[in-house]
Amino acid sequence: MTRLILSIDGTVLREFSLDKESTSIGRRPSSDIHIDNLAISGKHAVIVSILGDDFLQDLDSTNGTFVNGQTIKKHLLVDGDVIGLGKYRLKYFSEATTMTRRTDLQDGLRREAALRPAAPVVDEEAGGVLLPQGQGVVSAEAPALPLAELEVLSGSNAGQRLQLTKARSVIGKPAVQAAAIDRRPNGYFLFHLEGGSTPLLNGRMLHDHGEALADQDVIELSGVTMVFRLKG
């Protein structure tokens, strides 16, 4: 699903799905995307979704609406656009563009992704939620890859980050719903380890054999929403 991620000064605050024909943005509590800040007008902007396209329109706001640093009145949003509203940022992710990029990546990595471990590996001493404290199991020294992290978007730990520096990082709740992110020479891979329900990747069930992760992928696990980010 097409989504927006709200942040300020690099800190993620919340994620929104564009599942309506019209999504209002403003300081009024009734706004679909409510930003309680004096720099934001009561009715600041609106996103109108028409036949798969999302149009951002400024509603004569006092301080203006920006896309990628440029002031706009009306703008057709494309994947990766950054909407500026005062000090706040809304990054736009198009499902179609993201899925196309992920499919191209997975076509080349599918055989490697199929090499998931035969048995689950879970840190038995940790117990409870392993994210965001970051307890994990190291199966081998991590290869040299661009750094990556998970950031929690929901729940009591929202805003906390887990640096993916180990060859294997276990996330979730053992015996309830647990998954692993493996660092390999050719990328990061997400696998389901334990639990009756499969984790969600960008709103859909994770494939049985695991999947390669792409920048800004959203993972839902044990009632927690996280975003995967490549840092370099």
Side-chain angles (χ1 to χ4, degrees), residues 186-229:
N186 56 351
Y188 292 81
F189 297 83
L190 176 67
F191 301 105
H192 181 208
L193 291 181
E194 287 190 296
S197 58
T198 303
L200 298 182
L201 180 62
N202 298 310
R204 58 172 177 75
M205 293 181 64
L206 182 70
H207 291 164
D208 290 341
H209 58 262
E211 295 188 51
L213 288 171
D215 188 39
Q216 303 298 336
D217 275 349
V218 174
I219 301 167
E220 296 176 62
L221 179 73
S222 297
V224 176
T225 302
M226 299 155 272
V227 62
F228 170 85
R229 290 197 183 90

Side-chain angles (χ1 to χ4, degrees), residues 36 51 53 65 129 138 143 146 162 165 167 191 193 196 203 205 226-227 232:
D36 189 11
L51 297 177
D53 289 326
T65 300
V129 180
V138 180
L162 168 64
T165 57
F191 301 105
L193 291 181
M205 293 181 64
M226 299 155 272
V227 62

Side-chain angles (χ1 to χ4, degrees), residues 56-158:
L56 172 67
Q57 183 174 349
D58 180 76
L59 299 178
D60 296 324
S61 62
T62 301
N63 293 305
T65 300
F66 298 78
V67 175
N68 303 325
Q70 302 295 318
T71 184
I72 62 98
K73 285 298 181 182
K74 190 172 185 178
H75 175 81
L76 172 62
L77 291 166
V78 298
D79 188 64
D81 275 349
V82 178
I83 303 168
L85 306 159
K87 294 184 177 181
Y88 291 83
R89 299 293 179 266
L90 278 167
K91 190 163 185 179
Y92 174 86
F93 296 100
S94 167
E95 179 183 25
T97 304
T98 301
M99 290 300 295
T100 298
R101 184 171 62 246
R102 186 179 303 108
T103 299
D104 292 342
L105 175 65
Q106 288 175 350
D107 285 344
L109 301 179
R110 190 171 300 279
R111 282 183 295 179
E112 180 70 21
L115 298 176
R116 66 173 296 179
V121 180
V122 177
D123 188 345
E124 297 291 348
E125 296 181 359
V129 180
L130 299 185
L131 184 76
Q133 289 80 8
Q135 296 96 330
V137 177
V138 180
S139 58
E141 185 174 353
L145 283 175
L147 295 177
E149 67 179 15
L150 285 178
E151 181 163 0
V152 184
L153 301 181
S154 67
S156 59
N157 292 314

